[in-house]
Amino acid sequence: MAKTALVTGITGQDGSYLTELLLEKGYTVHGLIRRASSFNTGRIDHLFQDPHEHGARLFLHYCDITDAANLIRLLNEIEPDELYHLAAQSHVRVSFDQPVYTGETTGLGTTRILESLRAVGSAAKYYQASSSEMFGKVLEVPQKETTPFYPRSPYGCAKVYAYWMTVNYRESYKMYASNGILFNHESPRRDARFVTRKITRAVAHIRAGLQDKLYLGNLDSKRDWGYAKDYVEAMWLMLQQDEPDDYVVATGETHSVREFLVKSFEHVGLKWEDYVEFDERYMRPAEVDLLIGDASKAREKLGWQPTVTFDGLVALMVDADIRLLEDQQKGVLGEVRGTREFG
Ligand code: NAP
Ligand code: G4F
């Protein structure tokens, strides 16, 4: 029988790719969205374009992850087979400005969902969006499932709490609850306040003569960057196993922000030094200097592996931003945006 999935954070980068994957696999998908003063469904609007195909199996509900009563009501109504918990205040720099709110959503939001599942007696398989940011000031290179955590931001601390609550509910209540410890993953749907998309978007605008300068912070930190579409496949695989477990998902390669910058500008034949300036505002009180993951367990147990290289990711994102800008200039995008009314 076709399965039903509930996705929190469905309007985010990962939520949108995961929803596409689940609909392709025949699932009925319910997504939680929060009320905003402007449309926030831009990443999933296209899924409603064919109301007889995917659109017919996709349902959205208002629910903030700070609202336990609403969560319980919706879990009773939807009765999901699988719950992918992706909603979070996910920006590390912002978490230093909003540590309490980040703890409330990214940390306690997880407990609220786990406790709601327990309260309604749900047998849904649960996926927790854990993060390589938990490794922070790394205690081992490369990082794997057994590497101890040393978070370096309020976001990292909140994710460590959420990770352990997931393990705790698994052990205490025999819930099927798995942590995906995902390293940075990017795409043309990445918000432009994360460094990769900030760069590729700027390259497209600079190339078109619409922007003079790009202001950035620390160029020396290194990240293990993969492609988001590959990573949502790993999330799904984690919930198809007989037993719950925790998995690192990564490419096994690390590159500095500077390398991403060089490659992005080179892709369009420009020199980054002519455009990039340092801005103190983008520095963090504490930095994560080096992330590189060992995804052997995911490869061996889930049969998962990444399909997009670092160079491929840069090219894919720069090309997508060039196309997006051209479409915006032609006015094409207006037809897609805001076509759904909610409320
Ligand atoms: P994202 O693009 O920032 O999406 C976050 C989602 O959470 C959005 O749908 C957002 O809604 C929703 N959200 C935030 N606060 C909420 C609240 N209070 N109530 C309900 N919904 C709320 O993040 P992402 O890159 O897709 O990442 C998905 C998850 O994986 C996050 O938990 C993130 O921390 C984690 N993660 C990401 C990476 C990565 O490299 N991308 C790596 C490891 C872990 P709006 O659209 O309304 O803002
Ligand atoms: O793109 P970032 O903001 O991503 P960060 O901090 O690594 O966090 C992302 O990955 C985590 C997984 O490890 C996720 F859990 C988290 O939700 C998020 O998706 O920053 C990457 C690096 C940092 O070292 C930052 O200091 O880029 C550096 N950077 C330099 N200039 C900048 C900028 N980051 C941003 N956002 N903006 C800048 O102007």
Side-chain angles (χ1 to χ4, degrees), residues 20-312:
E20 279 171 10
L21 179 82
L22 295 171
L23 290 171
E24 284 297 326
K25 290 186 181 296
Y27 281 66
T28 294
V29 180
H30 293 262
L32 304 189
I33 61 168
R34 54 181 175 167
R35 198 267 157 187
S37 66
S38 54
F39 285 106
N40 58 359
T41 52
R43 293 187 180 100
I44 50 172
D45 279 342
H46 64 284
L47 295 171
F48 292 101
Q49 297 294 308
D50 178 359
H52 304 297
E53 206 3 71
H54 289 165
R57 286 184 282 115
L58 177 56
F59 303 92
L60 301 179
H61 311 265
Y62 282 117
C63 184
D64 198 288
I65 47 168
T66 55
D67 185 348
N70 200 2
L71 279 171
I72 289 175
R73 183 179 59 77
L74 287 169
L75 283 174
N76 270 322
E77 266 175 44
I78 297 165
E79 297 183 348
D81 300 299
E82 295 172 9
L83 196 165
Y84 296 86
H85 177 40
L86 311 182
Q89 190 303 92
S90 72
H91 201 285
V92 174
R93 174 68 192 84
V94 171
S95 79
F96 286 98
D97 298 331
Q98 300 199 76
V100 175
Y101 176 73
T102 302
E104 188 61 60
T105 52
T106 308
L108 273 175
T110 297
T111 307
R112 232 173 255 118
I113 293 190
L114 288 165
E115 188 58 11
S116 301
L117 282 169
R118 192 167 80 91
V120 305
S122 170
K125 289 182 166 183
Y126 175 84
Y127 173 85
Q128 168 61 23
S130 285
S131 165
S132 52
E133 186 70 15
M134 301 188 301
F135 296 121
K137 190 171 178 179
V138 298
L139 296 172
E140 189 178 19
V141 178
Q143 298 84 52
K144 50 183 188 281
E145 291 79 4
T146 49
T147 304
F149 301 137
Y150 190 149
R152 294 272 279 173
S153 63
Y155 169 82
C157 294
K159 283 289 185 187
V160 170
Y161 166 72
Y163 170 95
W164 282 116
M165 288 308 280
T166 302
V167 173
N168 192 254
Y169 271 64
R170 178 166 81 215
E171 293 177 353
S172 303
Y173 307 118
K174 310 291 172 246
M175 284 172 57
Y176 189 115
S178 294
N179 280 290
I181 308 173
L182 272 51
F183 283 62
N184 298 53
H185 45 280
E186 319 293 313
S187 75
R189 295 187 197 167
R190 186 63 142 153
D191 181 68
R193 287 163 290 190
F194 295 98
V195 78
T196 54
R197 182 78 200 290
K198 183 171 173 180
I199 293 170
T200 61
R201 189 175 174 276
V203 165
H205 281 72
I206 288 168
R207 176 181 171 272
L210 297 171
Q211 188 174 332
D212 299 328
K213 293 285 173 207
L214 167 61
Y215 295 94
L216 293 171
N218 180 17
L219 304 186
D220 295 325
S221 56
K222 293 179 140 187
R223 292 290 182 272
D224 180 329
W225 277 299
Y227 180 38
K229 220 170 164 175
D230 284 342
Y231 285 43
V232 301
E233 178 95 33
M235 295 177 187
W236 176 76
L237 284 167
M238 278 178 227
L239 297 201
Q240 310 314 308
Q241 307 307 303
D242 291 336
E243 298 296 331
D245 206 344
D246 308 317
Y247 298 89
V248 157
V249 178
T251 68
E253 266 187 45
T254 192
H255 297 273
S256 66
V257 174
R258 186 177 282 97
E259 282 174 80
F260 196 98
L261 196 54
V262 172
K263 291 263 180 217
S264 300
F265 277 83
E266 270 178 8
H267 190 68
V268 297
L270 294 173
K271 276 171 64 187
W272 70 274
E273 295 94 326
D274 295 339
Y275 304 97
V276 175
E277 290 195 4
F278 173 72
D279 191 328
E280 176 73 32
R281 276 184 305 165
Y282 300 114
M283 297 297 282
R284 295 162 186 199
E287 179 62 280
V288 171
D289 296 320
L290 165 71
L291 290 176
I292 177 167
D294 174 355
S296 308
K297 182 173 168 184
R299 218 171 27 244
E300 285 154 23
K301 296 206 165 169
L302 304 177
W304 178 86
Q305 55 184 20
T307 66
V308 176
T309 61
F310 177 71
D311 286 6

